[in-house]
């Protein structure tokens, strides 16, 4: 059993600047498994950006083109569990042998191996064997190899042998096409402005983007409500809020821009109009306060500014809070909204 999910294909993995490298490399690997320099192919990126989808798509496409090849998809977690079971049953050699005869091995979420020295060790041997025999290895991870913690050096260096391709957060156009494709496949019609609204407000996670659309459809059909911008607003708000344990920078920008009755694009724009600059500085201040993101990452998500700008914003907000009564009220109001 290959464990591949045929619903995850290249066809329904929409291409954009954010994923072009990873998607193209995946296609190249699928055309010539083991026969490109992308071995291993390591796809990395944040939660919900399509790593699992792409990993399956590669396997599905290979199975399609080379039915005789054995392709196996497995999560690193399941791989670890199997290994532990094999050890318990004294089957370590059988376990290794099973994996060494696979043509294409796809392991999802290899960050899970961190700290698991036994599993890393066995994977190291399997990897070497497959690689030496021209077999293809595809890996996914939530981090780039350089940022991986508690993975043995010799394994990390293997990860870097081939190609590491990042899945980045999709831009607006790509988000819109992902939504349209999903609606089309589900046979659902939705007004353009609603699709735009959802795509505009949910930026950092494709799973959430799809989730918001799914609950919008469900809400409207179960409650026999028309799909309106207002309904979309309610759902997006709940969605962005409920699905994150930590307040997200997207959510902060949305709350701050709603508070000042502007949209997120305005807040992020290059303008020097005072009230917009202040709104932007507040968003940066709250992002620093409520998330673990670095100054650089906050800056890049709030209108592509650098870390010095974010630092300056935080200081400005601190100063104004102690000198300007009206400004202090802004900070208090927004803090309340963010803390519900
Ligand atoms: P990850 O493994 O990175 O957390 P997934 O592969 O599970 O993310 O993707 C989350 C959801 O988003 C899936 O339903 C997937 O089909 C969808 N998705 C992600 N990227 C794209 C894309 N470029 N085109 C279409 N759907 C996508
Ligand atoms: Mg995944």
């Amino acid at each position: 059993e290959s464990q591949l999910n045929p619903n995850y294909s290249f066809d329904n993995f929409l291409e954009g600047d954010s994923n072009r490298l990873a998607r193209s490399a995946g296609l190249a690997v699928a055309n010539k498994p083991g026969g490109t320099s992308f071995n291993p192919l390591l796809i990395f990126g944040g939660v919900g950006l399509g790593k699992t989808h792409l990993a399956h798509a590669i396997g599905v496409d290979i199975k399609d083109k080379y039915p005789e090849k054995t392709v196996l998809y497995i999560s690193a977690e399941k791989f670890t569990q199997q290994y532990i079971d094999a050890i318990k049953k004294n089957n370590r050699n059988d376990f290794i042998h099973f994996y060494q005869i696979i043509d294409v091995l796809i392991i999802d979420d290899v960050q899970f191996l961190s700290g698991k020295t036994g599993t890393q060790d066995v994977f190291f041997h399997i990897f070497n064997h497959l690689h030496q025999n021209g077999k293809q290895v595809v890996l996914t991870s939530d981090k780039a190899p350089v940022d991986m913690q508690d993975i043995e050096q010799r394994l990390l260096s293997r990860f870097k042998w081939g190609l590491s391709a990042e899945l980045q957060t999709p831009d607006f156009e790509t988000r819109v096409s992902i939504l349209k494709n999903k609606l089309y496949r589900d046979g659902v019609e939705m007004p353009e402005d609603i699709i735009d609204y959802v795509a505009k407000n949910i930026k950092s996670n494709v799973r959430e983007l799809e989730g918001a659309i799914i609950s919008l459809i469900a809400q409207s059909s179960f409650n026999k409500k028309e799909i309106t911008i207002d309904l979309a607003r309610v759902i997006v708000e709940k969605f962005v809020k409920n699905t994150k344990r930590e307040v997200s920078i997207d959510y902060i920008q949305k709350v701050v821009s709603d508070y000042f009755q502007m949209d997120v694009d305005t807040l992020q724009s290059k303008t020097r109009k005072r009230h917009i600059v202040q709104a932007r500085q507040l968003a940066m201040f709250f992002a620093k306060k409520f998330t673990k993101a670095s100054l650089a990452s906050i800056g890049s998500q709030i209108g592509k500014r650098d870390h010095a700008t974010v630092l300056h914003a935080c200081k400005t907000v601190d100063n104004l809070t102690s000198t300007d009564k009206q400004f202090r009220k802004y900070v208090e109001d927004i803090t309340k909204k963010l803390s519900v």
Side-chain angles (χ1 to χ4, degrees):
E1 262 310 302
S2 70
Q3 311 291 334
L4 290 168
N5 179 347
N7 295 322
Y8 286 145
S9 66
F10 279 112
D11 279 347
N12 61 28
F13 191 81
L14 279 278
E15 181 173 329
D17 290 344
S18 57
N19 62 40
R20 186 162 294 115
L21 174 67
R23 191 178 184 281
S24 313
L27 269 170
V29 161
N31 285 331
K32 264 176 118 185
T36 69
S37 48
F38 309 150
N39 199 11
L41 171 62
L42 185 138
I43 298 161
F44 69 96
V47 181
L49 293 181
K51 300 181 295 294
T52 297
H53 184 141
L54 203 48
H56 278 280
I58 295 168
V60 169
D61 201 37
I62 293 176
K63 248 347 232 181
D64 212 37
K65 288 171 175 146
Y66 303 94
E68 76 287 357
K69 286 201 191 287
T70 44
V71 179
L72 182 75
Y73 166 92
I74 189 164
S75 68
E77 183 171 5
K78 207 163 160 198
F79 179 84
T80 303
Q81 197 50 54
Q82 281 183 1
Y83 175 65
I84 293 169
D85 290 347
I87 294 291
K88 272 192 203 141
K89 293 181 189 143
N90 252 318
N91 280 343
R92 188 174 190 270
N93 287 340
D94 290 349
F95 176 86
I96 293 177
H97 183 251
F98 172 84
Y99 278 95
Q100 284 181 338
I101 57 172
I102 286 169
D103 295 311
V104 179
L105 177 60
I106 304 169
I107 303 198
D108 203 359
D109 289 321
V110 290
Q111 76 276 0
F112 186 83
L113 300 181
S114 80
K116 306 197 168 54
T117 47
T119 316
Q120 285 179 37
D121 186 59
V122 80
F123 178 58
F124 179 75
H125 291 292
I126 292 168
F127 179 93
N128 285 339
H129 184 92
L130 293 176
H131 198 274
Q132 274 155 24
N133 287 284
K135 306 300 173 67
Q136 179 70 46
V137 178
V138 176
L139 308 168
T140 81
S141 164
D142 68 351
K143 292 180 203 65
V146 283
D147 296 323
M148 287 185 200
Q149 306 278 324
D150 299 316
I151 303 262
E152 282 178 55
Q153 208 48 49
R154 57 179 189 166
L155 203 50
L156 280 183
S157 91
R158 296 297 186 281
F159 289 177
K160 295 178 198 158
W161 273 0
L163 176 73
S164 299
E166 182 173 11
L167 287 176
Q168 296 167 327
T169 53
D171 57 26
F172 176 71
E173 278 71 31
T174 311
R175 298 200 296 276
V176 169
S177 33
I178 290 172
L179 287 182
K180 285 190 173 161
N181 183 259
K182 170 147 190 67
L183 290 165
Y184 175 76
R185 278 188 290 136
D186 295 351
V188 177
E189 296 207 3
M190 191 168 295
E192 198 89 8
D193 57 331
I194 308 270
I195 299 174
D196 280 8
Y197 180 82
V198 174
K200 218 173 217 171
N201 285 286
I202 302 187
K203 300 179 168 182
S204 50
N205 184 325
V206 179
R207 189 178 293 128
E208 291 185 4
L209 191 63
E210 292 183 340
I213 282 286
I214 292 167
S215 58
L216 193 51
I217 297 167
Q219 282 280 344
S220 90
S221 72
F222 294 143
N223 298 332
K224 306 230 172 347
K225 281 187 198 156
E226 217 189 308
I227 301 183
T228 60
I229 277 281
D230 280 336
L231 184 60
R233 192 167 286 139
V234 172
I235 284 174
V236 163
E237 193 141 319
K238 280 204 186 115
F239 217 87
V240 178
K241 194 157 47 179
N242 289 344
T243 51
K244 300 263 166 91
R245 256 187 239 127
E246 131 180 339
V247 184
S248 71
I249 295 180
D250 281 354
Y251 183 63
I252 290 169
Q253 295 188 79
K254 194 172 160 358
V255 167
V256 173
S257 40
D258 281 357
Y259 181 78
F260 291 109
Q261 290 169 357
M262 59 180 76
D263 52 39
V264 175
D265 285 345
T266 309
L267 178 134
Q268 293 186 344
S269 67
K270 301 281 178 224
T271 176
R272 293 177 181 277
K273 285 196 187 122
R274 186 158 172 270
H275 72 288
I276 298 172
V277 172
Q278 280 194 347
R280 189 162 57 236
Q281 291 179 327
L282 280 164
M284 290 174 173
F285 167 83
F286 283 113
K288 180 81 194 96
K289 188 166 169 184
F290 285 129
T291 76
K292 295 189 192 76
S294 66
L295 293 174
S297 156
I298 292 169
S300 83
Q301 292 181 65
I302 306 184
K304 299 204 165 61
R305 305 310 205 275
D306 64 11
H307 83 282
T309 308
V310 180
L311 194 60
H312 175 71
C314 294
K315 284 187 185 149
T316 307
V317 171
D318 276 338
N319 286 337
L320 287 175
T321 311
S322 49
T323 55
D324 181 334
K325 219 169 141 199
Q326 175 64 50
F327 197 85
R328 182 155 60 237
K329 175 143 172 33
Y330 294 159
V331 173
E332 285 166 4
D333 285 351
I334 298 168
T335 304
K336 264 189 219 133
K337 286 184 190 294
L338 288 171
S339 319
V340 233

